[in-house]
């Protein structure tokens, strides 16, 4: 079943209904739902759909020939093979003269790797033939760096030919509720923390009523699809998966600065920087600096993909138990009790998404939301603010705290926020927000009633 992506689907259909030539670039990390979106768009339209192969040029030409023939002969046992790519593209030109035709090249980087001239060939035929016709071309890819540099980039033969592009992102915490609408807010949050909002992983987790059973069956199980998924992705995307695995493991283990990561992995800093860049391009890790400050000596690295973060937090240390089939014995003792601790950073991410996308009647027009950390000169210690919302205009800031604990949060947290705001010291005024899974004491609720602070529960994040 197709969920979410309504905005992208509506925009694609709007473009289609205009009848003009389109060259649409769709890209994003693997499993994020690019092909599902394209299939939903194409399901009632005349379409040639090529799933490019990680194979030779000739094998891809055969696949393209088959895709062209199957447009009008979906159950054919045999098909004619075009002698060249130019011949195949000329046939697509002919077909597009007869009707509005969608031509999809999925996993375009595979085709471009196999047939080096394909981007130049497409550029030539777009400039001299297709741009005046009614063909709807979609180039789709999972290799983020390739799509951004070799398709959208200035030096690409296709630069300037695209008429639109969609970078498909993971779903937000609120969007994933469409997959399992009967789950509670706490269960929805955990699903988000496990899957990172990747539709494919939500489907493969296959939660019916019990997340624990779904995890034991589909995640902490050598036969489960999700058990080896990070390893499989690294092998599919990278030439040295072992080293990349070590880099990710180092970050998951607490190393956050480039030199710490290099030391833990046992490689030189210059080489480590290259591996970090690739992982950044893939979206597996992210680079963070205190909001309002430029990247520099305070820059740290963290795992940015929640699915990878969950896997590296809980699978490697329990591999023996999983392999021996003893997960039933260890799950309740050494895995589940640590979910609240793990969910702390996930909850922060959810609160940031709430402020940026869903909150109404905010006291300031937000420009961005992030963390801030720095030194309290008086106390001579580091302080960290979970949420700082920067203004698009003016000099008032949102200062927020996120607590994923079962107990209610009290007035002392508001006092701590006020002190941290004074250490931050960049605003003329501050609006305080406290997010809590476990609710709030009566004293803090009284402060909210007086307008000192805005209080938001986990349930509030999901309310319309």
């Amino acid at each position: 079943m197709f969920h979410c992506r309504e905005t992208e689907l509506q925009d694609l259909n709007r473009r289609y209904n205009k009848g003009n030539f389109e060259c649409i670039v769709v890209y994003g990390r693997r499993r994020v739902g690019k092909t599902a979106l394209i299939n939903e768009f194409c399901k009632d339209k005349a379409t040639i759909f090529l799933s490019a192969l990680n194979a030779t040029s000739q094998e891809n030409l055969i696949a393209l020939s088959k895709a062209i023939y199957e447009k009008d002969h979906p159950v054919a046992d045999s098909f004619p093979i075009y002698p060249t790519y130019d011949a195949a593209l000329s046939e697509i030109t002919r077909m597009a003269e007869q009707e509005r035709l969608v031509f999809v090249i999925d996993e375009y980087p595979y085709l471009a790797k196999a047939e080096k001239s394909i981007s130049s060939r497409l550029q030539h035929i777009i400039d001299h033939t297709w741009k005046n016709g009614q063909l709807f071309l979609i180039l789709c890819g999972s290799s983020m760096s390739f799509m951004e540099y070799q398709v959208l980039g200035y030096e690409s033969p296709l630069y300037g030919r695209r008429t639109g592009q969609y970078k498909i992102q993971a779903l937000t915490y609120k969007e994933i509720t469409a997959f399992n609408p009967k789950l509670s807010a706490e269960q929805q949050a955990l699903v988000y923390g496990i899957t990172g909002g990747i539709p494919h992983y939500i489907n493969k987790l296959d939660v019916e009523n019990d997340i624990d059973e779904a995890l034991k069956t589909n995640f902490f199980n050598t036969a489960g699809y999700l058990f080896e998924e990070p390893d499989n992705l690294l092998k599919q995307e990278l030439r040295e998966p072992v080293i990349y695995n070590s880099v990710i493991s180092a970050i998951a283990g607490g190393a956050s600065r480039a030199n710490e990561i290099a030391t833990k992995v046992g490689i030189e800093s210059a080489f480590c920087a290259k591996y970090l860049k690739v992982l950044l391009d893939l979206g597996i890790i992210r680079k963070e600096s205190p909001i309002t400050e430029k990247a520099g000596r305070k820059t740290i690295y963290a795992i940015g993909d929640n699915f990878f973060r969950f896997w590296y937090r809980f699978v490697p240390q329990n591999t023996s138990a999983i392999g021996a089939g003893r997960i039933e014995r260890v799950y309740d003792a050494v895995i589940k009790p640590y979910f609240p601790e793990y969910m702390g950073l996930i909850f922060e991410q959810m609160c940031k998404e709430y402020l940026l996308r869903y909150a109404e009647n905010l006291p300031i027009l937000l420009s961005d939301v992030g963390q801030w950390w720095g030194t309290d000169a008086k106390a001579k210690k580091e302080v960290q603010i979970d949420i700082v919302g920067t203004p698009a205009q003016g000099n008032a800031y949102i200062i927020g705290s996120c607590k994923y604990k079962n107990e209610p949060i009290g007035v002392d947290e508001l006092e701590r926020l006020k002190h941290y705001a004074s250490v931050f010291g960049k605003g003329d005024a501050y609006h305080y927000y406290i997010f809590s899974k476990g609710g709030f004491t009566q004293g803090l609720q009284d402060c909210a009633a007086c307008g000192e602070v805005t209080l938001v529960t986990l349930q509030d994040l999901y309310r319309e």
Side-chain angles (χ1 to χ4, degrees), residues 315-332:
V315 171
Q317 61 186 285
N318 294 297
T319 299
S320 296
I322 297 169
R326 294 187 290 108
I327 193 62
E328 289 286 349
R329 301 184 205 174
V330 304
Y331 182 83
D332 289 332

Side-chain angles (χ1 to χ4, degrees), residues 181-252:
K182 294 181 180 180
L183 297 183
S184 68
E186 186 173 348
Q187 290 172 321
Q188 296 283 10
L190 182 56
V191 170
Y192 181 65
I194 295 166
T195 65
I198 301 299
H200 186 68
Y201 297 154
I202 299 172
N203 289 326
K204 291 299 183 182
L205 185 59
D206 194 24
V207 176
E208 295 180 359
N209 299 306
D210 191 332
I211 295 179
D212 295 326
E213 287 305 312
L215 280 169
K216 286 185 277 189
T217 301
N218 302 307
F219 204 106
F220 299 111
N221 181 346
T222 56
Y225 176 90
L226 298 174
F227 175 68
E228 292 185 331
E229 174 67 358
D231 279 343
N232 291 335
L233 279 179
L234 293 180
K235 290 173 183 176
Q236 192 171 6
E237 295 281 356
L238 306 166
R239 287 181 293 180
E240 299 175 291
V242 173
I243 298 179
Y244 285 100
N245 177 69
S246 297
V247 172
I248 299 169
S249 296
I251 297 172

Side-chain angles (χ1 to χ4, degrees), residues 60-124:
N60 274 286
L61 179 58
I62 293 171
L64 176 57
S65 300
K66 183 180 181 182
I68 293 171
Y69 193 73
E70 285 181 341
K71 186 263 176 184
D72 293 320
H73 309 86
V75 293
D77 293 327
S78 59
F79 54 90
I81 298 174
Y82 294 92
T84 64
Y85 280 94
D86 285 340
L89 295 175
S90 293
E91 176 61 14
I92 292 171
T93 300
R94 186 194 67 78
M95 295 169 72
E97 291 172 351
Q98 311 302 316
E99 60 182 335
R100 182 69 155 151
L101 180 66
V102 180
F103 175 31
V104 179
I105 307 179
D106 198 7
E107 292 301 346
Y108 180 74
Y110 285 160
L111 178 59
K113 176 183 174 183
E115 177 53 51
K116 305 294 186 185
S117 67
I118 192 64
S119 292
S120 295
R121 292 177 186 276
L122 288 174
Q123 174 229 318
H124 185 270

Side-chain angles (χ1 to χ4, degrees), residues 194 219-220 306-314 339 342:
I194 295 166
F219 204 106
F220 299 111
N306 287 342
F307 178 79
F308 272 76
R309 184 169 174 264
F310 185 86
W311 192 95
Y312 277 88
R313 172 63 180 82
F314 293 107
F339 285 173
Y342 168 81

Side-chain angles (χ1 to χ4, degrees), residues 337-463:
Y338 294 95
F339 285 173
E341 173 195 341
Y342 168 81
M343 286 296 296
L345 286 178
I346 304 298
F347 188 50
E348 287 183 20
Q349 183 178 340
M350 293 168 61
C351 297
K352 291 170 188 174
E353 287 183 0
Y354 169 79
L355 289 173
L356 284 170
R357 300 189 59 162
Y358 301 118
E360 297 181 355
N361 302 317
L362 290 176
I364 65 172
L365 181 62
L366 276 177
S367 171
D368 197 7
V369 176
Q371 283 190 349
W372 183 87
W373 59 93
T375 303
D376 182 344
K378 292 183 179 180
K380 296 182 180 179
K381 67 176 184 179
E382 289 289 311
V383 300
Q384 178 175 307
I385 305 176
D386 296 336
I387 285 181
V388 173
T390 60
Q393 57 188 25
N395 201 35
Y397 289 77
I398 286 176
I399 302 292
S401 172
C402 307
K403 300 297 179 185
Y404 199 79
K405 299 178 180 179
N406 289 327
E407 62 266 21
I409 304 303
V411 176
D412 57 333
E413 186 62 27
L414 175 58
E415 296 305 317
R416 185 180 295 109
L417 268 187
K418 290 179 178 180
H419 173 66
Y420 285 1
S422 70
V423 176
F424 175 69
K426 301 184 188 303
D428 296 332
Y430 300 105
H431 303 277
Y432 299 104
Y433 276 69
I434 299 178
F435 300 83
S436 170
K437 174 191 173 188
F440 310 94
T441 65
Q442 186 59 53
L444 189 56
Q445 292 181 52
D446 291 342
C447 291
C450 294
E452 288 187 62
V453 62
T454 299
L455 305 180
V456 184
T457 66
L458 176 61
Q459 288 72 24
D460 290 335
L461 296 183
Y462 287 94
R463 293 194 178 103

Side-chain angles (χ1 to χ4, degrees), residues 240-300:
E240 299 175 291
V242 173
I243 298 179
Y244 285 100
N245 177 69
S246 297
V247 172
I248 299 169
S249 296
I251 297 172
S256 60
R257 302 187 185 279
N259 60 339
E260 295 174 343
I261 298 166
T263 300
K264 203 163 185 178
V265 175
I267 58 177
E268 295 181 10
S269 295
F271 288 115
C272 187
K274 295 178 181 179
Y275 294 114
L276 290 171
K277 183 181 184 307
V278 172
L279 292 172
L280 285 167
D281 288 341
L282 290 173
I284 294 174
I285 66 172
R286 67 174 184 268
K287 191 160 55 171
E288 293 183 350
S289 297
I291 196 166
T292 73
E293 298 185 22
K294 295 181 179 180
R297 60 185 181 85
K298 288 187 177 182
T299 297
I300 61 172

